Amino acid sequence: MTSILDDLKEIKSLDTEDMLGIEENFYNQLMEASRIAEVADIAKIKGRKFSGIAILGMGGSGFTGDIIKSLVMDEVDIPVEVVKSYQLPGFVNKTWLVLPVSYSGNTEETISATSQALGRGCELLCVTSGGKIEEIVRKYGKCLIKVPSGFQPRGALGYLFFSTYLVLANLKIIKVNKDDIEEALDLIKKKCALYKRDVQASKNYAKIIAAEIGDRLPVIYGISGILSSVAYRWKCEFNENSKFPSFWDEFSELNHNGIVGWGKLKEITSKFVLIVFKDDAASDKIKVRIETTLRLIKDNFYKIIEIPVEGKSKLAKALSTMYLGDIASVYLALLNGVNPTPVDKIVVLKAELAKLDK
Ligand code: F6R
């Protein structure tokens, strides 16, 4: 059977801003991010010790904080706080390094928390393509990781996340293993070749996932740690690219509440697809939790899709699993006749809020 996802002409006419092309280019984006990290202006804070780092940011930019925190939290000896709010937590003081991450540089929650950080005398390392955050960098002489403009923030995650991660390693705030980076980049390079548009739907796992979801609601179950962040990213990408409602949860917390919720409303949940990450390296306890949970709740769903997690290092696992969801969400959009790029409701909301500042 031919799939609309193999009709390259149709894809081109629907995907007018080429979100699929941006996804296909993910490996190159990561390579460019390595160069951005090398030239980042960080002289002012090199060699400084901080008692904690706070990574600020919302939506597509905010995911930088989620993924970095989940990658390093077992190893760092200082707190790594992710802030997705107007308010900087009270314990963040001038001994902390604050990283405002905003692709546009104009997101008001990020700017508000950044102003509070400035007021408390915190050192800043800003990650942006421009906007008000770049103005703050110039005005107060703060450090900057400047990423290219012209993307949707969620489509610039390779730039935002990877350059920040590498700069934090250069600053010796986090430890990054060269072999892990090599493994992750090799794996992503392979995956880019396997998931691109000219690989037929029957052999392209990203297209297969999109087709398995079809017109049903995806619920994603991650595992506490990197695969929890990735489950959240899949949910966000199904929302923003595919314009689908989507929900997520994580093991083992969901075993204390969410699992019980799959009881009533079967006529509705039978249109849901449950997506579960399967990591062979997970502990036996987690494996039993997943197997038992699926046995107990499987009748509530249209189907369960188990996604094998690839890679040895946390970085390779996180990036390869995330990338599959990112590109599958674009294929899901196209399969349902949706242009993946526009996020009109976000634009309307930001405009309404901007009126309050006039
Ligand atoms: C849009 C997107 C959004 C934005 C968010 C914050 O593609 O991903 O989730 O990331 O509205 O805006 P920025 O990233 O410019 O700070």
Side-chain angles (χ1 to χ4, degrees):
M1 209 176 71
T2 55
S3 163
I4 181 197
L5 295 178
D6 291 333
D7 184 340
L8 302 189
K9 243 181 160 176
E10 179 66 23
I11 287 180
K12 208 168 173 198
S13 72
L14 204 54
D15 187 13
T16 47
E17 284 124 295
D18 199 22
M19 185 59 96
L20 183 56
I22 291 166
E23 292 300 345
E24 288 170 323
N25 209 30
F26 186 53
Y27 172 75
N28 294 330
Q29 199 178 111
L30 293 176
M31 295 305 287
E32 215 179 313
S34 316
R35 285 185 285 277
I36 292 170
E38 274 165 30
V39 301
D41 175 12
I42 52 168
K44 198 172 170 219
I45 51 172
K46 200 135 199 176
R48 282 227 9 221
K49 290 262 171 286
F50 295 98
S51 55
I53 61 171
I55 310 179
L56 324 178
M58 307 303 296
S61 295
F63 189 67
T64 297
D66 294 326
I67 188 166
I68 290 180
K69 180 171 180 172
S70 64
L71 281 169
V72 305
M73 68 185 175
D74 299 338
E75 286 134 42
V76 283
D77 53 8
I78 55 171
V80 177
E81 191 68 18
V82 175
V83 180
K84 298 188 180 196
S85 151
Y86 286 92
Q87 190 58 39
L88 193 65
F91 51 76
V92 176
N93 60 35
K94 64 174 191 254
T95 63
W96 281 57
L97 177 64
V98 173
L99 291 92
V101 185
S102 170
Y103 183 72
S104 61
N106 291 325
T107 296
E108 58 174 59
E109 297 94 318
T110 314
I111 290 166
S112 158
T114 303
S115 305
Q116 292 163 37
L118 279 169
R120 293 182 205 174
C122 303
E123 215 32 272
L124 295 188
L125 168 56
C126 299
V127 188
T128 188
S129 69
K132 292 187 183 138
I133 295 286
E134 191 174 6
E135 281 169 25
I136 290 174
V137 169
R138 307 276 172 238
K139 185 163 171 198
Y140 298 96
K142 298 297 181 188
C143 298
L144 172 67
I145 301 175
K146 176 104 190 249
V147 299
S149 56
F151 290 77
Q152 277 288 332
R154 64 187 183 280
L157 187 77
Y159 292 131
L160 296 168
F161 153 67
F162 205 46
S163 58
T164 308
Y165 182 66
L166 295 177
V167 165
L168 287 173
N170 287 347
L171 289 168
K172 301 201 170 34
I173 291 172
I174 60 170
K175 278 200 201 94
V176 169
N177 184 322
K178 276 202 175 120
D179 293 343
D180 295 354
I181 295 202
E182 218 167 278
E183 187 209 2
L185 289 173
D186 282 353
L187 191 54
I188 293 298
K189 193 175 186 183
K190 279 190 203 123
K191 295 298 170 191
C192 284
L194 290 171
Y195 303 155
K196 63 184 184 185
R197 72 188 76 193
D198 46 13
V199 177
Q200 294 268 300
S202 55
K203 298 192 188 106
N204 184 327
Y205 193 42
K207 290 183 183 178
I208 290 170
I209 289 172
E212 290 206 337
I213 297 170
D215 59 359
R216 296 176 196 91
L217 186 149
V219 176
I220 306 101
Y221 275 2
I223 305 170
S224 163
I226 49 167
L227 294 173
S228 165
S229 305
V230 173
Y232 173 63
R233 169 77 176 182
W234 276 55
K235 172 253 174 217
C236 295
E237 291 287 87
F238 286 136
N239 296 151
E240 292 185 71
N241 288 333
S242 327
K243 280 77 178 172
F244 265 49
S246 180
F247 303 98
W248 75 289
D249 212 335
E250 66 169 33
F251 286 102
S252 59
E253 175 63 14
L254 73 89
N255 285 154
H256 301 273
N257 34 64
I259 187 175
V260 189
W262 304 112
K264 304 288 275 179
L265 309 184
K266 262 195 189 164
E267 64 289 356
I268 296 173
T269 67
S270 62
K271 295 198 175 70
F272 292 7
V273 171
L274 180 62
I275 297 173
V276 188
F277 300 142
K278 237 183 136 196
D279 182 4
D280 286 342
S283 69
D284 289 344
K285 292 266 190 197
I286 290 290
K287 283 181 182 157
V288 170
R289 282 182 181 277
I290 296 175
E291 276 161 33
T292 312
T293 301
L294 297 189
R295 178 159 50 79
L296 292 172
I297 66 176
K298 67 176 186 314
D299 293 344
N300 295 75
F301 294 91
Y302 176 75
K303 75 159 76 151
I304 293 178
I305 305 175
E306 294 190 37
I307 307 281
V309 173
E310 292 184 56
K312 282 207 285 286
S313 64
K314 276 191 202 172
L315 183 68
K317 284 181 191 198
L319 286 185
S320 63
T321 313
M322 185 200 82
Y323 180 54
L324 176 60
D326 283 7
I327 194 159
S329 73
V330 174
Y331 284 129
L332 184 62
L334 300 171
L335 189 65
N336 286 283
V338 169
N339 181 346
T341 301
V343 279
D344 297 343
K345 295 189 181 80
I346 296 179
V347 176
V348 171
L349 248 161
K350 286 185 178 179
E352 279 303 316
L353 284 154
K355 286 183 197 160
L356 295 178
D357 300 330
K358 282 190 183 138

